[in-house]
Every structure is written in C-alpha cells, then in structure tokens.
Amino acid sequence: MNNYLLRLKQAQKLLGLYRAEWLSSKLFDHFNEPGYFSELKTNRPCVLIGGRGTGKTTVLKGLSYTGQFAINTNTQIQDWNSIGIYYRVNTNRVATFSGNDVSLDRWISYFSHYINLCFCQELVKFALWYEKNTGEKIEITPRKWRGIKTVLKLEEAIDSLEYLEEELEILLLEFESSINQVVDNPPSKITMQGAPIDTLSEALLSGTALEGKQFFFLIDEFENFQDYQQQVLNTLIKHNNSFYTFKIGVRELGFRQKATLNENEQLTSPADYVRIDLTEIFQNSTGNKEANKFKEFAEAVINSRLNDSSFLGQQEEIRITDLLPSLSQLEEANLLLKNSHLGWLKDLEIKIDKNLYEKAKAIQPGYLFFIKYWSEKENGKCFAELVEDWILNGKESWNTRLNNHFYASLFSIRTGKVGIRKYYTGWDTYLSLANGNIRYLLELVHAALLEHLNVLEESNTTNFIPITYDVQTNAAIQIGRKNLTELEGLSVEGAKLTKLLLSLGRVFGVLAASPLGHTPEANQFQLASDSDVTTEDTVNNILTQAVMHLALTRTPGSKLTDKTDIRDYDYMIHPIFSPFFVFSYRKKRKITLQSSSLLKLVLQPKVGIKEVLENSNRNESLDFQLPDQLQLFGNYYE
C-alpha cells in the first residue's frame, strides 16, 4: 500500500474516534481551545449548555488538572491559577438515591453526604498527584487535620494525605453499600452539606504550596442528576467560596432546576453563574462572528487529525477544505439534470426563430431548467416566451427570481427519480449540517473519507484526489440515517422521537420537492396553541426530549416571552437529517402546526402527514416515489 493511502487510512481511524472517551491518551494530543474557553477560566461559576457531541466533555477534561498538564507542557504546575477537578455524573450511582420508602428530606441528606465524600476524594487525589509531579509537599497544620477529622466524622486521627485518601475510599464504599439497605439500616455519621468540601479545600489552599489557587469542580452530564439532586448542587454553586467554584456541562433543557434547597432562592444568570449556550454561540447563521470562530475551531480539530504527527512524516499537510470541494448552485443544477434539458431545446427549435434558438443553446442547462420551472409558475407566458425574455433582456433581469427561488428549485429537478436527488457538498455545507456539533462534523468527515478510501484503493492512486460530490452526499445521507436509528435508544421517549422525525422529515421533504407556487424553503415550524391541556403537556414533553437529544433544534421566536413556553420558539429538524429526508438545511421560512397535528405525526403518521400537507396547500399523494434512502421506511408511510 502506498504512503498516501496508508496515511489516509490512519487519519480515517482517528476521525472515527469522535467521542472524547474513545480518544483515550490521544484526547489532549488533538485538543483545540474553542473561542469560549477563556470564559471558563474565570473564577465565576459557568454553565456550559449544548447537545451531545458539542464538545462539552472534551472542554471540561481539557480544563482538568490532567488535561492542563498534558496540554501546557511549557508551563510549571506551580504557576497554575486554577485546578480543575473533573467529575462525571454516573447515572447508576445517583439513581440509587430515590424511592418512596424514604422521605425526600432524608434522600437530600444522604445525597449531600455522598457528594461531600466524592468531591473530597477527588481533592485528595489531586493533592497526591501534585506532590508526586512537583516533588513539593502540601503541609497541612495539625489544627486543620483535626478540623478535617471532625467534619468527616472520622474516629481516628489523621496526619497524612495518603491516610486520608484511604479513609475516604472506605467511607465511600461503606456508604454506597449501606444505601441498598437504607430503609432497614439507615446510615449513620452523615456529614453536613458542603462542610467537608469547605474545610478540606481551605486546608489544601491556605498556607500551603497551593496558596492563591482555586479549585474548579468540573461537573459533566449534569442532566443525569435528579431534580432534587440538581437543587443540592445549585445550593453549593449559590454559596461557593473563594476556595472553589463550579463549571457545569449540561444538555439543552437538562438544567431543569434553578432553585436551591431554599425554595425561595433561585440561581440566576448572570448574577450567580455565566451561561455559555453553545447553540447560541455556534449556530451557523449569516453574519454570526461566533459561527466563524466555530469554523476556525472545527478546521483546526479536523486538520489536526488528518495530519497527526505520528504518521505525517515529511509529507505535505492535507487540508479538509481541499478534501471537500463544493458545488455552486448552477453547477449542481447542471449535474442533477443529466442532459434532460436537451429535450426542451428540441421543443424550442420549432417555437422560436433560428437566431434566438442558437442563443438559447448557449444558456447554461441549469438556467434553462429554471426558465422552464418558472414558466409553470407564470400565468400567460409559455416556456418559449420566457426564453426569449432571458435572451433579449439578459440574465440580470432575472436576478431577483434567481436569488429568491433558484436554490429551492434544485429540490424539484429529480423529484420521483432514483439516485441522488440533491447534492450536499463542500466544507461549508458540512459545517451547516453539523450546526455547531463537533461530533456530527467528525462523523460526516469520517464517513466521507471511509468511502473515499474505497474509491482510491480501486484506482490504486498515489496522488491527492478530492472526495467526489456523490461520495460526500452519500456520506451525509448515511450519517443522517445512523443518527435517526440511534434516537430510539437515547431516551425513554426515543420511539416517539423517531416517529416524529420520520413524519416531520417526510412533510418537509414533500414541501421541498414541490416548491412551485409556494413559499420557498419552508423547513421550520411554530406551534399554535391548543385548547386541550393534556395534548399541550404531551407535546411539550416530546419537544423537550426532541431538543435535548438533537432530533430538533429551536430558536427564540419573534415574540419570545417565556423561555419555558414551547410556543415561543421556532423549531427545525436538526440539519444533520436534511440530506436523509432531502430538504434544505438553511434556516429559512416556517409553517404553523397545531399541537394536535404534531401529536398525530407521532401517533397516526399517515393521517398527520396528510393533514399537515393539506394545511400547507399541498395535494401531492404520499404514494409518489420515496427517495432511495427512505425506501427502508416504506411500511411506516403506508
């Protein structure tokens, strides 16, 4: 195998490790600081909000002391201002702190004690790591050792970090075991919420080698906490001190509770924490400077993996922008037509004079298609007359129509035909499909490169060849299908989310395939109110889950009044699914759905789809040919 192919194969494997957990030791070799990273380094609490795959785990691990040690190789540990303590919420553990046989007050007490032990254990682990890697001792005074012993309710005196680590491990194991028999044998020696964390952090930072530093508790997957558990952590955040602060990673809508254990006390932004919403920051919208920052960040991430130092050698770097060439709208129209314009030219030959006909033959096939497309919209003017208008008045006289409708018309070129119906190509398109989600972007590039390698191996080439338009599009379709099929296992509402997506995807696919005479690029929806409270509640729950698990994205509507009101938002199928259902990934125009109609899309798909299409003035039969990739779901639409 030649060096070029071998290098691409190695890069493809690395691109396939799109979860932070899979990168293992290579996680920090390919760590790139996102634009908001500096905000996380401040001493204020921060809440990092984003869907799965937006890089929360990678960023929090990069902020941890092991991450900083790996990334900042030229910096002395002693020079750090902050020390990140990474803690991932384990559902298996926190779910055990619930049950009707024990009062909520007792569960709060038990869970608070558990968090005390977990965080103290992590603090001691860091202290021992620090001593090992710097050779410096963290000297804690006897008085402070007594305070630590007292607050943790230890029976024997302690005088070393090693002994404290051992004691904490035993306390934690004993407590976890006792939770299983909590009704018959309640655990004793429960510590006061936050007190051990306060005492230990102060002992480690005051008058020791760590003087002047601050601990960052980096809590990942905050949404896995139960509601009352979020309140426990909120209380710690609200009343944190100069010795530690919190950086939280949570999915959108996963930060369910803003109250502390005092029901009259709420966490508010920006008074109590800095809210960093990755959806707002990285949405790929026109003029969005942060979206451009994401583009730079994403290129750095992808190019880093394409050119890993372990296999780069002396070879020239490969840039992702070179690997993924794009198509202009006109080029795409020409490609989709596959010479079908020749028949229209033959018809024109007998309808216009010879001189005009010769000029008509010089019109680009894509533009000729658009003229014919427009002739079906215009009343009173036939195709031949509009061709004459184009020739006599010039393309410039059509610019407004082209700007407003040409892209939308592309979706109608191959309606009902087999094969690719719309191309999704180029780096910028892949960025739009990922919509600020670095994992989705890695999946797209990985799938495209994998198929590209198969093509290269068959040709046995040693030269650089960009990924073809067909391969790029098919990779995008494949990733859409993959994430659709995975939805069912992501949530208790997973089956409903899959059905909702299949139905909505079909609706917007039909709208895209028949744009003539209608609002172009309708691919968003807003909800109209419904008098049935039960329906509203059910739909609200489905939409909440859909947004949390990235089936849908949402943006504040023009009349946003309450961030909890589902009607105040515009919703859109996540762009990653647009190639699979064949509609536009560009955020454009919207339709209005009744809550009852949306519920029908889930519970009665065929009835719901027909109802929504009729309300959108579409009379097309659902029996017309499905796109190739939707044939697998043919039974669903019957």
Side-chain angles (χ1 to χ4, degrees):
M1 184 182 296
N2 64 62
N3 290 336
Y4 177 63
L5 280 179
L6 181 60
R7 178 182 172 191
L8 283 184
K9 273 187 173 293
Q10 291 172 313
Q12 177 264 323
K13 290 178 181 177
L14 198 52
L15 286 162
L17 302 174
Y18 39 76
R19 291 178 64 97
E21 296 86 348
W22 297 349
L23 272 171
S24 188
S25 60
K26 278 190 170 290
L27 174 65
F28 303 118
D29 294 345
H30 299 281
F31 181 82
N32 294 272
E33 288 191 5
Y36 59 83
F37 198 69
S38 58
E39 292 185 58
L40 289 171
K41 291 182 177 179
T42 66
N43 59 6
R44 296 186 63 191
C46 297
V47 178
L48 187 61
I49 301 170
R52 60 189 174 89
T54 47
K56 301 186 302 298
T57 295
T58 301
V59 165
L60 291 176
K61 285 191 172 183
L63 202 57
S64 70
Y65 65 87
T66 53
Q68 290 296 296
F69 184 66
I71 296 166
N72 299 318
T73 53
N74 297 324
T75 304
Q76 295 289 320
I77 300 171
Q78 293 91 329
D79 296 334
W80 293 354
N81 294 320
S82 59
I83 300 152
I85 307 293
Y86 179 81
Y87 175 81
R88 178 177 172 271
V89 180
N90 187 321
T91 307
N92 292 325
R93 297 287 193 275
V94 299
T96 59
F97 292 89
S98 63
N100 295 328
D101 295 330
V102 175
S103 69
L104 179 59
D105 286 343
R106 286 176 62 192
W107 280 130
I108 289 173
S109 176
Y110 297 154
F111 178 73
S112 299
H113 175 64
Y114 174 72
I115 287 296
N116 286 340
L117 295 180
C118 287
F119 284 8
C120 285
Q121 185 181 49
E122 294 300 328
L123 288 172
V124 175
K125 282 182 180 178
F126 161 75
L128 291 171
W129 178 91
Y130 178 89
E131 290 185 341
K132 178 180 178 183
N133 284 276
T134 64
E136 292 184 1
K137 290 290 290 182
I138 298 174
E139 301 289 350
I140 297 176
T141 63
R143 180 176 178 177
K144 288 178 180 175
W145 277 126
R146 289 196 299 273
I148 294 169
K149 170 185 175 295
T150 303
V151 78
L152 285 171
K153 300 189 176 181
L154 298 172
E155 294 180 357
E156 297 182 14
I158 49 174
D159 58 4
S160 73
L161 289 169
E162 289 82 4
Y163 185 38
L164 179 57
E165 181 190 36
E166 183 180 334
E167 285 295 305
L168 282 169
E169 184 178 0
I170 297 300
L171 285 174
L172 195 54
L173 290 172
E174 288 178 345
F175 181 68
E176 287 176 342
S177 298
S178 70
I179 287 297
N180 294 325
Q181 294 86 36
V182 68
V183 176
D184 300 324
N185 185 23
S188 58
K189 298 183 179 180
I190 300 300
T191 57
M192 179 180 292
Q193 179 176 337
I197 305 171
D198 292 345
T199 303
L200 181 57
S201 59
E202 181 183 5
L204 291 172
L205 296 178
S206 296
T208 70
L210 300 177
E211 180 84 52
K213 304 185 190 304
Q214 185 183 42
F215 290 114
F216 288 180
F217 287 110
L218 314 168
I219 305 177
D220 198 6
E221 300 188 17
F222 190 80
E223 68 277 359
N224 289 340
F225 281 134
Q226 297 173 52
D227 285 2
Y228 85 84
Q229 294 169 351
Q230 289 193 358
Q231 288 180 277
V232 169
L233 269 297
N234 290 348
T235 307
L236 290 173
I237 295 169
K238 184 82 172 179
H239 300 285
N240 70 306
N241 53 46
S242 61
F243 299 113
Y244 62 85
T245 190
F246 291 86
K247 313 293 177 179
I248 289 171
V250 64
R251 290 188 186 180
E252 185 172 1
L253 301 182
F255 196 4
R256 300 177 303 277
Q257 293 292 321
K258 301 297 193 302
T260 67
L261 291 176
N262 178 350
E263 60 182 19
N264 297 317
E265 188 178 62
Q266 296 273 331
L267 283 185
T268 58
S269 173
D272 297 310
Y273 65 93
V274 177
R275 176 187 170 91
I276 303 175
D277 192 325
L278 300 184
T279 303
E280 293 176 3
I281 289 175
F282 286 152
Q283 275 179 347
N284 202 359
S285 57
T286 304
N288 186 342
K289 293 181 180 179
E290 292 297 339
N292 292 331
K293 287 183 181 179
F294 176 73
K295 182 177 181 179
E296 296 171 6
F297 167 64
E299 281 189 31
V301 169
I302 301 294
N303 288 333
S304 170
R305 300 190 187 204
L306 284 173
N307 302 285
D308 185 82
S309 58
S310 65
F311 53 78
L312 181 59
Q314 300 300 313
Q315 299 177 68
E316 187 177 346
E317 286 193 354
I318 297 174
R319 315 303 297 178
I320 187 59
T321 48
D322 297 329
L323 263 181
L324 296 173
S326 61
L327 280 166
S328 69
Q329 292 179 23
L330 179 59
E331 289 170 336
E332 181 174 356
N334 293 342
L335 200 57
L336 288 168
L337 284 166
K338 300 183 184 296
N339 295 323
S340 58
H341 68 291
L342 297 177
W344 308 331
L345 284 172
K346 191 171 290 186
D347 292 338
L348 280 175
E349 191 172 10
I350 59 175
K351 293 181 179 178
I352 59 177
D353 67 52
K354 187 174 181 180
N355 185 42
L356 286 176
Y357 175 68
E358 290 301 318
K359 292 182 178 179
K361 287 197 298 185
I363 298 174
Q364 287 277 357
Y367 288 146
L368 198 64
F369 154 76
F370 186 74
I371 297 170
K372 183 164 182 61
Y373 168 87
W374 201 256
S375 72
E376 296 172 12
K377 173 182 172 65
E378 291 277 299
N379 293 322
K381 285 192 177 182
C382 66
F383 175 48
E385 288 176 306
L386 290 176
V387 170
E388 288 184 13
D389 178 73
W390 178 285
I391 294 169
L392 296 174
N393 296 313
K395 170 182 170 291
E396 291 72 23
S397 65
W398 283 68
N399 278 346
T400 300
R401 298 170 189 168
L402 289 168
N403 291 337
N404 292 336
H405 297 274
F406 189 69
Y407 182 80
S409 74
L410 298 178
F411 291 88
S412 68
I413 293 178
R414 294 188 56 79
T415 297
K417 298 179 180 178
V418 297
I420 291 174
R421 296 190 183 182
K422 173 74 177 67
Y423 284 97
Y424 295 82
T425 66
W427 172 241
D428 285 341
T429 296
Y430 269 29
L431 283 169
S432 295
L433 296 179
N435 197 43
N437 189 303
I438 196 67
R439 185 184 302 174
Y440 282 166
L441 194 59
L442 286 165
E443 287 181 359
L444 287 165
V445 176
H446 173 252
L449 189 56
L450 184 61
E451 182 58 33
H452 182 57
L453 279 167
N454 294 333
V455 174
L456 292 182
E457 285 183 336
E458 290 177 5
S459 62
N460 197 29
T461 184
T462 59
N463 300 318
F464 173 82
I465 296 176
I467 301 174
T468 66
Y469 304 129
D470 282 31
V471 167
Q472 290 185 56
T473 301
N474 286 329
I477 292 170
Q478 174 192 331
I479 295 305
R481 182 194 299 114
K482 168 190 171 292
N483 283 287
L484 172 67
T485 55
E486 286 181 352
L487 268 180
E488 193 160 352
L490 293 176
S491 161
V492 292
E493 300 284 3
K496 290 180 180 177
L497 299 187
T498 304
K499 291 176 181 178
L500 175 65
L501 208 53
L502 282 169
S503 297
L504 277 176
R506 182 61 175 149
V507 166
F508 288 118
V510 171
L511 296 184
S514 52
L516 197 63
H518 302 285
T519 302
E521 290 187 81
N523 58 3
Q524 297 183 83
F525 69 92
Q526 61 181 5
L527 278 182
S529 59
D530 199 297
S531 57
D532 188 341
V533 176
T534 303
T535 298
E536 288 278 290
D537 289 344
T538 304
V539 168
N540 195 0
N541 182 51
I542 292 173
L543 288 179
T544 298
Q545 291 293 315
V547 171
M548 275 191 68
H549 296 288
L550 299 183
L552 301 177
T553 64
R554 68 172 193 168
T555 50
S558 56
K559 296 181 180 179
L560 181 64
T561 56
D562 183 353
K563 288 192 174 186
T564 63
D565 191 338
I566 60 174
R567 290 183 301 279
D568 287 335
Y569 285 88
D570 296 334
Y571 294 87
M572 178 179 174
I573 293 177
H574 194 289
I576 196 69
F577 300 106
S578 58
F580 183 71
F581 293 111
V582 195
F583 64 86
S584 173
Y585 57 80
R586 309 193 311 181
K587 191 174 295 175
K588 289 294 182 178
R589 296 160 184 88
K590 61 190 176 187
I591 62 174
T592 299
L593 292 182
Q594 296 288 336
S595 294
S596 55
S597 296
L598 188 136
L599 198 55
K600 285 178 186 174
L601 291 176
V602 176
L603 304 179
Q604 299 171 280
K606 188 169 184 179
V607 173
I609 293 171
K610 183 179 179 182
E611 180 178 300
V612 173
L613 287 176
E614 286 177 348
N615 290 339
S616 301
N617 298 316
R618 299 301 205 279
N619 298 315
E620 287 84 1
S621 167
L622 290 177
D623 295 331
F624 76 79
Q625 184 76 21
L626 289 165
D628 293 356
Q629 61 270 19
L630 280 178
Q631 295 294 332
L632 181 64
F633 299 95
N635 290 336
Y636 178 82
Y637 297 112
E638 289 179 359

